[in-house]
Amino acid sequence: MSSSFALLSLIVALPFLGMLFVFTTKSQKETQGHNAFHVCVFTIFANIVLIWRVFMLINEKSRDLQLQEKFNWLSTPDINIVFAVDTFSLLLILSMHIAVLIGLIGVRSNIYKQKSLMVFTLLFLSMATGFFVAADIFSFYMFFEAMLIPLFMLIGMFGEVKKQDLIYRFFLYNFIGALLLFSATMLIYYYYGSITLQQVAKIHIKSGVGIYVWSAIFLAFISRIPIWPFHYWISSINSGIRNPLAFVITSFMPISGIYGFIRFLPSNFSADINNYIVWINIIGAVTMVFIALIGLINRDAQYKIFSYVTIYNIMYLLGVLTNDNIIEHNIGYSLFCFVIIVASLSVINSYIYHKEQENDSDSRGFLCRARRLSLVYSFMIIAAIGLPVSAIFINNFLILSKLLGANLEIGGLLIFAILIVGVTLLQELIRLKTNDANCKLGKNDDISTWQFVFMLFVIFVLVMSFLNPLWFVINE
């Protein structure tokens, strides 16, 4: 199916145009960040409407990439840029926009370099959207690497990472991954030309070169996922980020690796690849248990959220490696809710943290006084641990069933890690709900009415996703 109007190009371009508008607009210093914030919010809302329109035009049951938009980039060599989407990629794009919108709530009152924050947020949103709509190997690679530029700036300026060498290492490892993907892309082009992502899974490169190509692709994507031995430098960055918007954005890097595996994974695994998959499953399961236990004993609420994010990202990776089309669809529906839940938890945690700093008080028992915040936070914890209030419930159940059926021992470790991280989140909720007379936080520290109404809308979206993941799609 081809697009009669370049909708996909538009949803990539709109955040970029919003970024240019914010960057070039000059205003008084007092209103500069305020105006940039409102332009960012308006741009995201407008793009959500366009994304919703794209959902109306595609066949959500088809696994083919649809609404194809093709642009001739170079004649010699012959390279075409192709945009196209399916239900999986569109769900990720929509959840990303909603998550960034939630993240913006957490930084509305933050006046520190707010214009720069909005500029790099919109730039990342544009590059990440381009990554998810890319349907050929070259545009996929370009957006895969382009996401690193705003990400690096956001971490450096707003990540509150004390050790600069960690930031450089974070960028270096991701950049090396991008170079590996570039070399693999060049070899694929040499043998097959400028092919689409749907054709990549079916290619057969002669043994020597093929081993390098698939190894480079594997390392490029796995380096973005916090699995051993890549977990340390990712956790060193992500677990310390206090800016909720920056945390939400960095949380998309593992998802970009998972999405890369979905697009490049061979349609049929050879015996050699199956042996590697077994080892990845073992390493992934052990990493999940290790990080879950650290999250349980760590008192920092931010690390508890990071451990939750990490464990579920690894689980989705292992689900993708089953190479099962039904499981892939389930992962798409789960990721839609997972991203929104992570953004909500991050914003709420940041809000509580800053209230602690303002009042120089421990937050134990805060939710006993902040009724609106208590309702929202309790729901998000319930959704996060997988109780039946969002699409995560049934889809994660099916993913775990598949993994458990494939290997009982590894599946058991996965379930153990998920139970531990569930206890970790409940541990924090109980702490905040345990009344403490020494807590200085009171009713006046509760979230505002408009924030509460917006979060109720987010809760509505999650509940509706449990009833029907594509409830908002109206077939024409």
Side-chain angles (χ1 to χ4, degrees), residues 176-200:
I176 291 173
L179 289 179
L180 287 171
L181 183 61
F182 177 75
S183 63
T185 302
M186 291 298 100
L187 287 170
I188 292 173
Y189 176 79
Y190 176 79
Y191 286 101
Y192 293 93
S194 183
I195 61 175
T196 64
L197 295 183
Q198 286 190 316
Q199 295 171 312
V200 171

Side-chain angles (χ1 to χ4, degrees), residues 414-431:
L414 263 62
I415 292 174
F416 176 71
I418 289 171
L419 287 174
I420 291 296
V421 82
V423 171
T424 299
L425 294 178
L426 288 173
Q427 181 186 55
E428 182 64 13
L429 178 63
I430 292 170
R431 185 186 75 84

Side-chain angles (χ1 to χ4, degrees), residues 48-73:
I48 287 175
V49 173
L50 291 175
I51 295 164
W52 178 67
R53 176 57 185 163
V54 175
F55 267 108
M56 303 299 111
L57 297 175
I58 68 167
N59 177 5
E60 66 270 15
K61 297 179 181 179
S62 174
R63 295 191 69 250
D64 295 332
L65 293 173
Q66 303 165 62
L67 301 183
Q68 188 177 106
E69 298 172 11
K70 190 173 183 179
F71 310 93
N72 183 257
W73 183 27

Side-chain angles (χ1 to χ4, degrees), residues 287-334:
T287 304
M288 286 175 69
V289 173
F290 176 73
I291 293 180
L293 291 173
I294 292 178
L296 182 65
I297 63 176
N298 199 308
R299 294 184 178 182
D300 185 13
Q302 184 70 14
Y303 196 95
K304 293 179 184 295
I305 295 175
F306 167 75
S307 65
Y308 166 75
V309 173
T310 300
I311 284 166
Y312 275 82
N313 276 325
I314 296 175
M315 183 191 75
Y316 293 134
L317 169 65
L318 300 186
V320 167
L321 295 179
T322 62
N323 216 17
D324 187 298
N325 293 337
I326 296 175
I327 295 300
E328 182 182 309
H329 276 288
N330 292 328
I331 291 171
Y333 296 137
S334 282

Side-chain angles (χ1 to χ4, degrees), residues 143-199:
F143 286 111
F144 182 81
E145 189 165 7
M147 284 191 292
L148 291 179
I149 299 170
L151 179 72
F152 180 71
M153 298 304 295
L154 284 167
I155 292 174
M157 296 175 70
F158 307 101
E160 301 178 24
V161 180
K162 295 179 181 179
K163 295 182 179 180
Q164 291 297 316
D165 61 313
L166 287 176
I167 300 174
Y168 296 137
R169 201 180 305 166
F170 181 87
F171 181 82
L172 179 63
Y173 288 164
N174 279 284
F175 184 70
I176 291 173
L179 289 179
L180 287 171
L181 183 61
F182 177 75
S183 63
T185 302
M186 291 298 100
L187 287 170
I188 292 173
Y189 176 79
Y190 176 79
Y191 286 101
Y192 293 93
S194 183
I195 61 175
T196 64
L197 295 183
Q198 286 190 316
Q199 295 171 312

Side-chain angles (χ1 to χ4, degrees), residues 96-134:
M96 177 175 62
H97 280 72
I98 295 174
V100 171
L101 205 55
I102 295 169
L104 286 170
I105 294 177
V107 298
R108 187 176 185 274
S109 58
N110 183 2
I111 60 174
Y112 175 71
K113 295 184 178 179
Q114 195 171 67
K115 180 178 178 179
S116 298
L117 179 60
M118 298 303 109
V119 165
F120 291 118
T121 296
L122 287 171
L123 181 59
F124 178 85
L125 204 56
S126 177
M127 298 300 102
T129 303
F131 173 74
F132 289 124
V133 303

